[in-house]
Amino acid sequence: MVIDERVARRLIHEQFPEWADLPVRPIAKGGNDNRTFRLGDHMLMRLPSSEGYAPQAEKEWAWLPKLGRHLSLPITSPLARGAPTAYYPFPWTVTGYIVGEAADDGNVGDKVRFAYDLAGFLKELQAIDTAGAPLAGPHNFHRGGDLSVYDGQAREAFRNLADRLPTGRLSAMWDAALGARWDGEGVWVHGDVAVSNLMVREGSLCGVIDFGIMGVGDPACDYVMAWTFFDGPAKRRFLEALGCDGGTMDRARGWALWKAAISYDWGSGDYAREARHTIDAILRE
């Protein structure tokens, strides 16, 4: 399905005519789950890209205002809810725009400080009451749930990559992750803590976006930045600030390994290079 500026403008004209004069511009890195467009200078349109992602809009609408009241950093703030149409069949949202740019090696001034601030944000999120909240499951691709859901995918990737990687070592790490069972109380998880969803301004973390696969469960899935972005002192600071025990470390590493392995197996270009970077970070331990 083509979801372009024409579709976005038509939705605004028909459903929110008060904003019809505002420019609509696509965001270059708008993500996979949603097609994202700037609406004027202070808003975003988020249009789910397929039926599997459509429930995210309703979940964000219901829960993000409640979560935002307890967090010290700005998060995605839903402002209006759009309805499905004949030409665009999913619910969609208009949200506030957080001024900043996605984190990367070039714009994060001090990675150790950034790691500490991110850990602080996650701890705030985990402390919020979960009464009535959605438990991890298919709606959020099992983020916060049991890693064994992805056992088949991970082992297939290891078989396919056996001529390129020390998959014996990786398989042992994967086994350790599956064996580190989690039996704690469920907490809120963001579900996709990645540089593309962490906003930076003047070198510091200034906001967190894209909560579409949030849910309640094991927080280990939110700690993958220890291998995807942080290293050395920043990695240690991040994991120490979160109070990770050995089992949590194993499961967090497992989440990073699963995603990197299937991405390296299936992907190409920048996607595969980023996955290989994560795998190399895991193997350096």
Side-chain angles (χ1 to χ4, degrees), residues 99-103 107-108 114 198-206:
V99 177
E101 54 186 359
N107 62 24
V108 173
F114 189 84
L198 303 175
M199 306 306 292
V200 172
R201 187 166 62 247
E202 297 180 355
S204 299
L205 182 65
C206 68

Side-chain angles (χ1 to χ4, degrees), residues 2-9 11-12 23-28 30 34-40 42-48 88 92-97:
V2 175
I3 308 172
D4 56 15
E5 290 173 70
R6 224 169 22 141
V7 169
R9 287 196 187 98
L11 288 169
I12 289 295
V24 174
R25 308 183 300 278
I27 288 182
N34 295 273
R35 299 292 177 262
T36 307
F37 301 85
R38 288 286 300 274
L39 176 61
H42 306 294
M43 294 181 287
L44 296 175
M45 297 176 65
R46 286 169 52 79
L47 310 181
Y88 180 76
W92 54 282
T93 55
V94 176
T95 73
Y97 175 69

Side-chain angles (χ1 to χ4, degrees), residues 5 12 32 65 91 95 105 197 203 216:
E5 290 173 70
I12 289 295
N32 179 68
T95 73
D105 286 322
N197 294 327
V216 171

Side-chain angles (χ1 to χ4, degrees), residues 37-89:
F37 301 85
R38 288 286 300 274
L39 176 61
D41 293 329
H42 306 294
M43 294 181 287
L44 296 175
M45 297 176 65
R46 286 169 52 79
L47 310 181
S49 59
S50 71
E51 184 176 3
Y53 302 126
Q56 296 182 12
E58 293 296 327
K59 186 168 55 174
E60 289 188 329
W61 179 263
W63 287 102
L64 288 183
K66 299 174 184 178
L67 297 184
R69 292 196 290 268
H70 301 280
L71 298 168
S72 57
L73 284 173
I75 64 171
T76 305
S77 55
L79 303 175
R81 179 165 47 174
T85 69
Y87 58 89
Y88 180 76

Side-chain angles (χ1 to χ4, degrees), residues 13-275:
H13 275 258
E14 292 177 357
Q15 298 189 29
F16 300 103
E18 66 271 28
W19 295 329
D21 293 335
L22 296 177
V24 174
R25 308 183 300 278
I27 288 182
K29 295 183 179 180
N32 179 68
D33 297 4
N34 295 273
R35 299 292 177 262
T36 307
F37 301 85
R38 288 286 300 274
L39 176 61
D41 293 329
H42 306 294
M43 294 181 287
L44 296 175
M45 297 176 65
R46 286 169 52 79
L47 310 181
S49 59
S50 71
E51 184 176 3
Y53 302 126
Q56 296 182 12
E58 293 296 327
K59 186 168 55 174
E60 289 188 329
W61 179 263
W63 287 102
L64 288 183
K66 299 174 184 178
L67 297 184
R69 292 196 290 268
H70 301 280
L71 298 168
S72 57
L73 284 173
I75 64 171
T76 305
S77 55
L79 303 175
R81 179 165 47 174
T85 69
Y87 58 89
Y88 180 76
F90 312 126
W92 54 282
T93 55
V94 176
T95 73
Y97 175 69
I98 298 173
V99 177
E101 54 186 359
D104 61 34
D105 286 322
N107 62 24
V108 173
D110 180 345
K111 275 195 176 182
V112 174
R113 181 66 194 182
F114 189 84
Y116 181 75
D117 290 345
L118 177 58
F121 173 84
L122 293 175
K123 288 165 69 176
E124 288 180 352
L125 180 64
Q126 293 163 15
I128 299 173
D129 181 44
T130 60
L135 297 177
H139 72 91
N140 75 334
F141 303 95
H142 302 279
R143 297 304 199 278
D146 195 329
L147 260 176
S148 64
V149 170
Y150 294 116
D151 187 44
Q153 285 187 2
R155 296 193 190 280
E156 180 184 13
F158 296 155
R159 288 192 296 271
N160 294 341
L161 296 170
D163 61 339
R164 288 181 277 170
L165 294 171
T167 51
R169 284 185 62 196
L170 297 178
S171 294
M173 292 178 181
W174 179 249
D175 289 339
L178 295 185
R181 309 297 295 183
W182 178 75
D183 58 4
E185 291 291 326
V187 297
W188 277 105
V189 298
H190 177 281
D192 191 15
V193 180
V195 289
S196 58
N197 294 327
L198 303 175
M199 306 306 292
V200 172
R201 187 166 62 247
E202 297 180 355
S204 299
L205 182 65
C206 68
V208 181
I209 64 172
D210 199 351
F211 282 72
I213 55 176
M214 63 183 166
V216 171
D218 174 10
C221 66
D222 277 350
Y223 301 166
V224 298
M225 288 277 287
W227 296 273
T228 61
F229 187 66
F230 299 133
D231 53 22
K235 176 181 177 179
R236 290 192 295 274
R237 187 65 166 131
F238 182 62
L239 296 172
E240 288 170 0
L242 290 165
C244 290
D245 59 22
T248 303
M249 283 273 292
D250 286 338
R251 295 192 307 278
R253 187 186 300 108
W255 279 105
L257 175 56
W258 158 70
K259 185 65 178 290
I262 64 170
S263 299
Y264 192 46
D265 184 23
W266 300 344
S268 60
D270 289 344
Y271 200 55
R273 280 191 289 273
E274 290 172 4

